[in-house]
């Protein structure tokens, strides 16, 4: 059940803000619809209002203000509702046929503002219905009734004659015509059910149209509630063995997806895991392979989720190698199946020259849950949200009848429809899209610059720091989807649990910047044992713990990776009284070389950055002042005391790490970021 959230005071506020009441209330109820995930999700659904605009000559022109492409109902503004001249739109209904290209061209030609976004592909559906307000949603509870073998009959029982019924037709011109003629046959109705697609409701006011959407959805929810069978999915007998940890499963799946197509340059994906009682019941059902392959719940999911999920068996703890083989085989079968599906139906329809990438977007793991798969964390989350609503709707549909979706060839037509594919076109994929980077010591000046630099390259970012709160704040500032986490890098359990968290959040890790460190000083001959050991714990052993875990995950993924150390100038050019810092850093340089040597065959590249005199937590403003004074020079001269006579910044260091992450054929290398210092030249 969903709530009718109409509120007169809120409505009045929208009118005050947007002046024109027609548009203001259209924006208001679009927000109400868009913010209810059971009605629309991620760009789904569309709304319109028929109103009056004034042209350059002062003439009043009837227009349809309808959702434009690229806008979400939850956040739409008046600019997202382009005005199209209504009269020319209405004339289109006389035509027998109208190609997509002609339709889009005609819509754009009749815009009042030539720079407005392209009106929705469902514009004509809104135009041909006579009502002032029209709301189109993919209401989940309604879908449970219309995604059925026997949908017309079920719909009658649930809604009586409050709605008209339109059999499945692909969105566009023909659906708009069919909907309008169905409405004319029975003009008393409050809405139309679009078979295997969703709900259209309408009214004379924004309030009436919105209230009908809510009421019709709730009628459907009520019907499902009263008529549901007790047990929907008969559970498969569980093997009775311990189930593997999700943090161990994710890198296996991520690696198999990456390696399925091009082993030399694996395509990396981000995973988003979901689980609930409903998902468990769904993935553990005996008939899973059958009911999960019956297709989407509404056509516009197809471009994001594909029609079928990848299904993986129960992952037993302690038998992960077996699970990997099963996963690799299942992915290969899926890809083969996807290509066959394309060839089978494309030969008749000729929708595209080549199949789209054949990688699954939803993965179901028995005993475990589901993964959304995307090119970024954001995209994976969208897929996971849609997958959850798919599970919800198929479960409800199966509880009252038999879930039925589009036929395979209708699915292909929708998935490859150029007007749908246009929604996904990205300008240019960033260089590190799909990569996951961990930065330790990530809350400091250098660490946060590294996190930001990788985020700009499109990578997913995990910021770890001893100060968990600061790590969370830095993560939030670098990217909306970034993970901020506490980690004591000198503690083995803490490091292990950090890597587990990253695998659970993103599916694995590709680039590890082992950056955490702290400086202690004192004359070497009188240094206390405690202090030197403390420094070794953080400036050497912690790097080893981080590198060990990085290798562990990267070897599971089998997609190579980069382990990068911040080793400081001290590792190469020791300074007096800095032994406590420089000696473990020198050992870390040796550590980097050892890892490069032993893991080159895993395609894991191991490099180090040797930075000096960066204004940061290790070289504070006070320290800069006193060192400059001690040398009798200005602070500026102190900071630019190098061959290039140029101050080196945290951003310069960050760029060196990005460079190493991108340099695919470089390992065992040290990059100097110190403006030039002869004593620190590597010999
Ligand atoms: Zn739709």
């Amino acid at each position: 059940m969903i709530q009718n959230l109409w509120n007169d005071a809120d409505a009045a506020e929208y009118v005050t803000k947007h002046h024109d009441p027609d548009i203001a209330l259209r924006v208001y109820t679009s927000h109400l619809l868009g913010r209810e995930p059971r009605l629309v999700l991620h760009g789904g659904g569309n709304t319109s209002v028929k109103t009056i605009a004034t042209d350059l000559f002062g003439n009043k022109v009837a227009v349809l203000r309808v959702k434009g492409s690229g806008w979400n109902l939850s956040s739409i503004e008046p600019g997202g509702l382009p005005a199209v001249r209504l009269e020319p739109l209405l004339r289109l209904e006389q035509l027998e046929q109208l190609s997509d290209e002609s339709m889009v061209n005609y819509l754009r030609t009749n815009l009042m503002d030539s720079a407005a976004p392209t009106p929705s592909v469902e514009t004509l559906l809104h135009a041909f219905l006579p009502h002032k307000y029209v709301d189109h949603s993919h209401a989940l509870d309604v879908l449970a009734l219309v995604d059925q073998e026997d949908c017309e009959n079920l719909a009658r029982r649930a809604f009586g004659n409050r709605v008209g019924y339109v059999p499945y037709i692909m969105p566009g011109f023909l659906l708009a015509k069919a909907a309008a003629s169905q409405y004319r046959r029975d003009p008393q109705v409050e809405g139309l059910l679009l078979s295997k697609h969703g709900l259209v409701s309408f009214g004379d006011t924004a309030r009436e149209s919105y209230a009908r959407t809510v009421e019709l959805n709730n009628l459907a929810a009520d019907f499902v509630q009263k008529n549901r069978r007790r047990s929907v999915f008969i559970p498969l007998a569980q093997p009775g063995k311990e189930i593997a940890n999700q943090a161990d499963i994710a890198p296996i799946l991520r690696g198999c997806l990456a390696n399925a197509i091009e082993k030399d340059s694996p395509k990396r994906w981000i995973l988003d895991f979901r689980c609930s009682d409903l998902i468990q019941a769904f993935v553990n059902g005996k008939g899973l392979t059958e009911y999960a392959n019956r297709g989407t719940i509404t056509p516009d999911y197809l471009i994001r989720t594909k029609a079928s999920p990848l299904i993986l068996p129960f992952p037993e703890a302690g038998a992960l190698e077996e699970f990997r083989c099963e996963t690799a085989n299942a992915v290969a079968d899926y890809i083969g199946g996807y290509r066959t599906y394309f060839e089978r139906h494309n030969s008749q329809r000729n929708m595209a020259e080549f199949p789209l990438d054949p990688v699954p977007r939803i993965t179901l793991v028995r005993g475990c849950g589901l993964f959304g798969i995307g090119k970024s964390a954001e995209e994976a989350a969208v897929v996971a949200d849609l997958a959850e609503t798919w599970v919800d709707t198929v479960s409800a549909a199966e509880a009252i009848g038999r879930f039925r979706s589009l036929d395979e060839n209708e699915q292909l037509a929708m998935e490859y429809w150029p007007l749908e594919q246009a929604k996904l076109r990205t300008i240019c994929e960033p260089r590190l899209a799909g990569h996951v980077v961990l930065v330790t010591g990530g809350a400091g000046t250098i660490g946060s610059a590294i996190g930001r630099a990788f985020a700009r390259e499109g990578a997913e970012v995990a910021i770890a720091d001893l100060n968990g709160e600061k790590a969370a704040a830095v993560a939030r500032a670098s990217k909306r989807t970034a993970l901020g986490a506490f980690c004591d890098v000198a503690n083995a359990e803490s490091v292990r649990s950090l890597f587990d968290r990253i695998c659970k959040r993103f599916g694995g890790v590709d680039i590890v910047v082992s950056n955490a460190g702290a400086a202690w000083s004192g004359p070497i001959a009188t240094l206390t044992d405690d202090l030197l050991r403390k420094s070794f714990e953080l400036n050497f052993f912690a790097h080893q713990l981080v590198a060990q875990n990085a290798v562990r995950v990267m070897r599971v993924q089998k997609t190579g990776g980069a382990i990068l150390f911040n080793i400081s100038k001290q590792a190469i050019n020791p300074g007096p009284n800095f032994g406590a810092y420089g000696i473990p850093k020198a050992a870390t340089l040796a550590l980097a070389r050892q890892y490069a040597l032993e893991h080159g065959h895993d395609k894991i590249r191991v490099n180090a950055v040797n930075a000096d005199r960066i204004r940061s937590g290790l070289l504070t403003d006070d320290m800069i002042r006193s060192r400059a004074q001690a040398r009798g020079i200005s602070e500026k001269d102190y900071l630019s005391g190098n061959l290039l006579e140029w101050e080196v910044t945290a951003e310069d260091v960050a760029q060196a790490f990005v460079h190493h992450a991108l340099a695919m054929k470089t390992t065992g290398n040290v990059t100097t970021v110190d403006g030039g210092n002869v004593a620190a030249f590597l010999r």
Side-chain angles (χ1 to χ4, degrees), residues 168-170 196 299 302 341 345 349 404-416:
Y168 179 77
I169 299 174
M170 195 168 137
K196 303 183 179 70
L302 282 167
Y341 146 82
H345 301 291
R349 291 190 174 253
R404 170 91 192 263
S405 174
L406 319 184
D407 294 340
E408 257 197 6
N409 66 342
E410 291 167 335
Q411 281 172 15
L412 184 104
M414 193 65 199
E415 188 181 349
Y416 283 79

Side-chain angles (χ1 to χ4, degrees), residues 122 136 138 197:
E122 285 171 313
H136 168 49
H138 303 142
H197 179 161

